[in-house]
């Protein structure tokens, strides 16, 4: 009788554990929208649809930063309070410094180069190290609107035009090219960015064009220069302990859903970029195209000090040259 009772208790505990493991909580920054070009929320909604259509697992998405700021959600994911969040590259840099190498100015010339690196052995190696150090498994890499661009209230057509500007950028690596180009960096929060630009606290900022349009910066910026100085991306992460506790069938559902969600994200991000440039132009912001020679001039100034900073501030300095070489070899 005692053995039967013990077995019954164990079975009950396993059933409870299994039920708990079937809910995937996701925290995202942006409010819920019905926009077809919502490449971040839409990615998680596609993931939700695929998971729930192909398993008994459920996905609960909390919108509008209801679960806290990005770094708070990242830490909640690490602790298993939630299973997933939309933390991006800059947030992951606080717990895995080597990811910053992918933010090196002018590392990539187009998104094809970025995906070739991230979807290949280099991306897999970074993902495994991130999992081992943080407890977060990378299911894939998503786009956050393509390349970052500089905007301001004076035209930026050459590196010399950056001199004297006050530019809102976040993170130590982002400040280096700004300073090298003769501008002054200002670490203003995203929530305060619109007001800071409107009141002249800063002259300009850098973000991918879809983000520029999302928060209507065309209302407070006269020029958007397509400098394409950094690729905006994020890891699609999930708490590794949670994932490891799933059955093989459930893991396959998660993996397949992640692949479809990322495919949606990359297509939507690319489409959002084209639409954003048109929206910015239609609303009075002059979109300044730069030729490759001009971008190379920006690169010649911005990249060398950033390389030196990375070698002094990442856990694996030799990886800096290795990644630069990998991109160049793939390009050639």
């Amino acid at each position: 009788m005692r053995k039967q009772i013990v077995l019954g208790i164990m079975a009950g505990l396993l059933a409870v554990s299994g039920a708990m493991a079937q809910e995937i909580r996701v925290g995202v920054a942006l409010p819920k929208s019905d926009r077809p070009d919502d490449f971040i929320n839409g990615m998680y909604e596609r993931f939700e649809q695929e998971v729930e259509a192909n398993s008994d697992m459920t996905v609960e998405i909390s919108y509008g930063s209801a679960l806290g700021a990005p770094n708070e959600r990242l830490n909640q994911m690490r602790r298993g309070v939630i299973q997933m969040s939309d933390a991006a590259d800059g947030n992951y840099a606080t717990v895995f410094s080597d990811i910053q190498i992918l933010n090196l100015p002018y590392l990539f010339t187009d998104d094809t180069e970025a995906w070739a690196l991230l979807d290949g052995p280099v991306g897999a190696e970074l993902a495994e190290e991130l999992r081992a150090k943080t407890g977060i498994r990378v299911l894939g890499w998503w786009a956050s609107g393509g390349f970052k661009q500089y905007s301001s209230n004076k035209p930026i057509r050459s590196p010399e035009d950056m001199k004297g500007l006050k530019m809102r950028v976040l993170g130590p690596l982002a400040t280096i090219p700004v300073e090298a180009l003769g501008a002054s960096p200002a670490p203003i929060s995203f929530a305060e960015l619109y007001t800071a630009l409107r009141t002249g606290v800063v002259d300009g900022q850098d973000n991918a064009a879809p983000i520029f349009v999302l928060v209507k910066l065309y209302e407070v910026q006269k020029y958007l220069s397509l400098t394409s100085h950094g690729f905006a991306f994020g890891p699609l992460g999930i708490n590794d302990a949670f994932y490891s506790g799933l059955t093989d069938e459930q893991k396959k559902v998660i993996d397949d859903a992640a692949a479809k969600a990322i495919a949606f994200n990359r297509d939507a991000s690319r489409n959002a970029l084209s639409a954003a440039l048109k929206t910015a132009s239609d609303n009075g912001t002059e979109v300044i195209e730069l030729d490759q020679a001009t971008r190379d001039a920006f690169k010649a100034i911005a990249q060398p000090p950033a390389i030196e900073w990375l070698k002094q501030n990442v856990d694996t300095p030799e990886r800096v040259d290795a990644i630069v070489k990998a991109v160049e070899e793939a390009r050639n």
Side-chain angles (χ1 to χ4, degrees):
M1 177 65 71
R2 176 177 293 182
K3 182 177 180 181
Q4 290 176 330
I5 292 173
V6 171
L7 290 173
I9 292 173
M10 290 178 64
L13 290 173
L14 288 171
V16 171
S17 175
M20 290 177 63
Q22 291 177 2
E23 181 180 59
I24 303 170
R25 297 190 64 204
V26 184
V28 298
L30 296 174
K32 184 175 177 58
S33 78
D34 296 322
R35 299 195 333 269
D37 62 344
D38 189 340
F39 48 84
I40 297 180
N41 286 0
M43 172 179 64
Y44 286 100
E45 288 160 358
R46 179 62 60 89
F47 177 83
E48 175 186 27
Q49 293 164 9
E50 293 293 330
V51 167
E52 294 187 350
N54 293 288
S55 74
D56 59 357
M57 294 182 286
T58 59
V59 178
E60 178 188 342
I61 303 174
S62 296
Y63 296 90
S65 297
L67 300 181
N71 285 350
E72 293 174 323
R73 297 196 304 274
L74 177 62
N75 288 328
Q76 290 171 28
M77 180 167 55
R78 293 186 69 188
R79 300 197 309 270
V81 177
I82 62 177
Q83 284 69 53
M84 303 177 75
S85 86
D86 62 348
D89 50 349
N91 308 115
Y92 277 90
T94 63
V95 295
F96 180 57
S97 66
D98 280 18
I99 201 171
Q100 296 175 97
I101 301 171
L102 301 174
N103 297 132
L104 176 67
Y106 297 99
L107 176 62
F108 305 114
T109 59
D110 57 40
D111 60 359
T112 301
E113 291 182 359
W115 299 137
L117 187 85
L118 289 168
D119 293 340
V122 172
E125 183 178 283
L126 286 168
E128 176 53 26
E129 287 192 26
L130 193 153
R131 185 199 64 78
K133 290 183 177 180
T134 69
I136 295 173
R137 176 180 291 269
V138 177
L139 298 172
W141 306 89
W142 52 268
S144 186
F147 284 88
K148 295 180 181 180
Q149 320 290 353
Y150 288 128
S151 70
S152 74
N153 282 324
K154 62 167 280 190
I156 300 173
R157 304 183 192 279
S158 70
E160 290 73 24
D161 294 330
M162 289 282 289
K163 291 178 179 177
L165 294 178
K166 293 177 292 183
M167 301 293 290
R168 179 268 184 184
V169 290
L170 283 181
L173 183 58
T175 69
I176 291 171
V178 167
E179 291 176 335
L181 290 162
S184 301
I188 292 170
S189 73
F190 187 73
E192 299 171 348
L193 176 57
Y194 182 97
T195 300
L197 292 167
R198 181 175 58 82
T199 59
V201 172
V202 291
D203 302 306
Q205 58 85 53
D206 80 330
N207 264 305
I211 305 300
F212 179 91
V213 167
L214 177 67
V215 291
K216 298 183 178 181
L217 295 188
Y218 50 75
E219 296 178 348
V220 290
Q221 294 278 264
K222 294 179 181 178
Y223 302 96
L224 177 62
S225 298
L226 304 187
T227 50
S228 300
H229 53 276
F231 190 69
F233 70 95
L236 183 61
I238 188 168
N239 178 277
D240 187 52
F242 169 83
Y243 180 92
S244 298
L246 299 175
T247 65
D248 289 343
E249 291 78 9
Q250 289 171 325
K251 289 176 183 176
K252 185 177 187 307
V253 169
I254 295 290
D255 294 343
D256 291 346
K260 291 180 180 179
I262 288 170
F264 164 84
N265 159 265
R266 293 182 185 180
D267 284 343
S269 180
R270 189 176 294 112
N271 294 336
L273 172 58
S274 301
L277 295 177
K278 183 177 186 305
T279 299
S281 180
D282 289 347
N283 282 274
T285 296
E286 181 181 342
V287 177
I288 300 173
E289 297 273 1
L290 301 179
D291 59 25
Q292 190 57 50
T294 303
R295 287 201 183 102
D296 288 343
F298 274 94
K299 177 180 178 179
I301 297 170
Q303 193 179 82
I307 287 176
E308 291 308 308
W309 185 91
L310 283 168
K311 289 180 177 179
Q312 296 172 23
N313 289 276
V314 298
D315 289 336
T316 319
E318 62 272 18
R319 179 172 273 154
V320 179
D321 288 337
I323 287 180
V324 171
K325 182 179 179 182
V327 174
E328 290 177 347
E329 287 180 346
R331 183 181 302 150
N332 298 325

